[in-house]
Amino acid sequence: CSGDDPAVILFTSGSENRPKGVPLTHHNILLNIRGALKAFSFSHRDILYGFLPPFHSFGFTVSSIAPAVTGLLACHHPNPTEGRRLARGIAKWKPTLLCGTPTFIKGILRAAPPKQLASMRYFIAGAEKAPDDLFDAVDRLGTGACVLEGYGITECSPILTLNRPGDPRGGVGLPLDGVELCIVNIDSREPLPPGQQGLVLARGPNVFNGYLEADVASPFHER
């Protein structure tokens, strides 16, 4: 088995088109984890609480594979919609890190009294935009915990950017080590100056090699 061989085939959600098969190699996944660890370090006292399903790229790489290859302690719950049970799990297992979508994290915060979440240090949010009220709700816990927002897509294993602990909140953060981003005009594909909105092009060792289906248009643009 080579590092360039597929390790898993995940399927996109179909939010922008029909679902597509995304083969991710061993190198894609492991180098994405390595980049994330350079942006965010943990100690032997940290425990990850995972509840995203492994067929979701966030749940697969961050909640499942990362603990397996790094030795990070982890506990899991099978249903991300069960806010009360998730909150009781936090009180029982005392995790310090939690990775999920803002919707699921807000469900936990609504269901839990602050004392159940006292062990939490970081709520790592991705897969959808984190609203201001999520940051406010975590601040109101009064425990010193904070939200770290990131951005990624299945085709990129999935993490592209992440806000770093201790840094001022800034959108979805800076690219991981080894990831390069370029913002271009959606029609001409010409680079745009800083501050302009456009299409995000990404390059890095975490980017997949192409879709499983032969009839899907190439997602790559060469500059």
Side-chain angles (χ1 to χ4, degrees), residues 10-200:
L10 301 176
F11 285 83
T12 63
S13 62
S15 57
E16 63 177 26
N17 208 321
R18 65 184 176 91
K20 298 181 286 291
V22 178
L24 298 173
T25 69
H26 299 271
H27 280 158
N28 287 153
I29 296 164
L30 293 175
L31 293 175
N32 196 224
I33 293 171
R34 178 183 292 178
L37 292 178
K38 288 185 177 181
F40 176 84
S41 60
F42 59 86
S43 76
H44 67 280
R45 293 184 295 272
D46 281 311
I47 301 173
L48 174 70
Y49 197 21
F51 53 78
L52 293 178
F55 59 76
H56 186 286
S57 59
F58 196 5
F60 180 81
T61 297
V62 178
S63 297
S64 302
I65 302 301
V69 300
T70 62
L72 173 65
L73 293 176
C75 49
H76 295 270
H77 185 80
N79 191 339
T81 67
E82 296 179 333
R84 292 186 185 279
R85 289 188 177 183
L86 286 163
R88 290 198 295 268
I90 293 174
K92 178 179 181 179
W93 300 108
K94 295 182 170 42
T96 56
L97 314 173
L98 182 154
C99 299
T101 69
T103 296
F104 295 145
I105 296 173
K106 288 173 66 175
I108 296 171
L109 293 170
R110 284 194 299 269
K115 65 179 182 180
Q116 283 189 318
L117 308 180
S119 66
M120 290 299 308
R121 292 202 304 137
Y122 296 108
F123 296 86
I124 303 172
E128 62 186 58
K129 179 175 172 56
D132 289 338
D133 60 353
L134 173 61
F135 293 87
D136 295 339
V138 172
D139 286 342
R140 286 197 298 271
L141 292 175
T143 61
C146 67
V147 177
L148 299 178
E149 186 176 9
Y151 169 74
I153 58 175
T154 303
E155 292 88 339
C156 296
S157 304
I159 309 170
L160 286 170
T161 69
L162 180 68
N163 276 288
R164 273 57 167 175
D167 286 354
R169 173 184 165 195
V172 292
L174 297 173
L176 298 189
D177 184 64
V179 172
E180 296 177 82
L181 299 181
C182 181
I183 311 301
V184 300
N185 182 281
I186 195 168
D187 296 315
S188 69
R189 299 296 197 266
E190 290 300 315
L192 294 172
Q196 297 295 308
Q197 293 187 356
L199 183 70
V200 181

